[in-house]
Amino acid sequence: MTNTYTTLLNGKQLATDLEIELIETIQNLSAKVGRPPGLAVIMVGSNPASVAYVRNKELACKRVGILSFSSHLPASTSQSELEILIEQLNNNPQVDGILLQLPVPPHLDERTLLYRIDPDKDVDGLHPENLGRLVRGEPGLQSCTPAGVMRLLAAHKIKLSGLSAVVVGRSILVGKPLSLMLLAADATVTMAHSRTHNLSAVTRAADLVIAAAGKPNLINAEMIRPGAIVVDVGINRIEGPDGKSILIGDVNFQALQGIASFLTPVPGGVGPMTVAMLLHNTVWSYRARHGLL
């Protein structure tokens, strides 16, 4: 038993604070440029999770003053139709950021579509050119969720230099870019995944554990040493005791109360930061395109 005091990493509050900052920034920049930043979100089909995410992103844009150029397309949309749309958005001077909502229907080639997006408008940070900039430590658009995690840790003055960090999950969306960001912050990084032997021993040795595997309650109390920092990137929709769907993370939140020194809730932790960093990336691209960085 331990008596560690657990501080919640409140992403919802930080995201609200960042939006307030962006409102003022956008007002000042718009006066210089003559127009507000523009974000184009492409959604194909009506995946319920995607519909909810896109709505949240569009509402956030409206709150801070970013103009939305949304395209909600039927699931039957062809590869060539999407490629033409992306090219039009690449060439549209009013559009500073382009986001293709994933996943796309199975008949579409997701990778080719992502590669078609102008890397300087790639606000999801998934184009190979932007991933290459991240590897080299050069300025560029960075993947929103990992960038949101880093911003959340920084806001709580958590010093990463020298820390032992374990990232559970190796996706191109979160695990890989986040590991690179942690390395750039001078953390010592271990990447764990579904094939890792004795995952508990790996995570228990860490000062910082970031769960991004997409498996409900994967990380439990026995896997975390007292005083460690735990960030839960997972968002899993499961059926609750009353039969209604609820959102939980990859971490057993209740079990880590009093064990972790810092802990993110789900919802209200990393999720809001992902949207906040999408707005940040759009404004960054807008500034870069007008020489205002």
Side-chain angles (χ1 to χ4, degrees):
M1 195 71 181
T2 180
N3 60 357
T4 299
Y5 177 76
T6 300
T7 300
L8 289 189
L9 296 170
N10 189 335
K12 188 174 182 180
Q13 182 58 55
L14 179 56
T16 299
D17 294 342
L18 292 174
E19 283 189 14
I20 292 169
E21 289 178 18
L22 281 174
I23 289 170
E24 185 177 355
T25 299
I26 290 168
Q27 287 174 344
N28 292 335
L29 291 171
S30 296
K32 294 177 183 177
V33 174
R35 67 167 180 87
L39 172 65
V41 178
I42 304 169
M43 181 175 68
V44 186
S46 55
N47 176 294
S50 291
V51 170
Y53 292 150
V54 168
R55 177 167 172 75
N56 285 339
K57 290 165 184 174
E58 290 170 349
L59 289 172
C61 283
K62 189 174 182 179
R63 286 195 299 269
V64 301
I66 292 174
L67 198 59
S68 281
F69 294 84
S70 295
S71 298
H72 298 180
L73 306 171
S76 59
T77 302
S78 70
Q79 181 83 13
S80 60
E81 286 173 320
L82 274 173
E83 290 179 5
I84 290 168
L85 172 60
I86 290 170
E87 193 59 32
Q88 289 171 343
L89 295 171
N90 283 341
N91 294 323
N92 186 338
Q94 306 295 310
V95 173
D96 303 288
I98 302 170
L99 182 144
L100 175 65
Q101 182 65 40
L102 303 177
V104 293
H107 71 279
L108 296 172
D109 182 348
E110 175 185 296
R111 185 173 67 171
T112 300
L113 292 171
L114 291 172
Y115 284 18
R116 290 270 182 172
I117 296 172
D118 179 345
D120 292 331
K121 293 188 178 187
D122 166 38
V123 286
D124 238 357
L126 295 178
H127 191 282
E129 192 167 318
N130 285 321
L131 291 169
R133 288 168 179 162
L134 180 60
V135 170
R136 294 178 59 87
E138 297 172 357
L141 292 164
Q142 298 186 343
S143 188
C144 299
T145 299
V149 170
M150 298 298 288
R151 193 70 174 262
L152 190 56
L153 293 171
H156 287 80
K157 296 181 169 53
I158 295 171
K159 294 180 179 176
L160 297 172
S161 181
L163 289 190
S164 167
V166 171
V167 179
V168 185
R170 52 181 168 177
S171 73
I172 199 70
L173 278 170
V174 181
K176 288 175 181 174
L178 183 51
S179 295
L180 291 167
M181 292 177 194
L182 290 166
L183 277 172
D186 296 323
T188 300
V189 183
T190 299
M191 289 195 72
H193 44 79
S194 59
R195 303 287 178 89
T196 299
H197 293 298
N198 199 351
L199 179 61
S200 293
V202 174
T203 56
R204 194 168 173 83
D207 302 310
L208 167 64
V209 175
I210 300 177
K215 294 186 177 179
N217 292 329
L218 173 67
I219 306 297
N220 57 44
E222 291 70 37
M223 300 172 72
I224 302 296
R225 69 162 182 79
I229 304 156
V230 180
V231 176
D232 190 353
V233 180
I235 299 179
N236 307 288
R237 191 174 293 277
I238 66 166
E239 188 175 304
D242 59 358
K244 294 180 180 178
S245 68
I246 58 171
L247 289 179
I248 66 169
D250 290 359
V251 173
N252 188 327
F253 181 80
Q254 294 301 330
L256 291 185
Q257 297 289 329
I259 295 176
S261 58
F262 291 89
L263 179 63
T264 56
V266 175
V270 174
M273 292 303 301
T274 298
V275 177
M277 297 316 293
L278 172 66
L279 304 178
H280 167 84
N281 279 355
T282 302
V283 173
W284 193 94
S285 173
Y286 170 75
R287 294 176 74 153
R289 295 178 68 240
H290 291 91
L292 296 170
L293 283 178

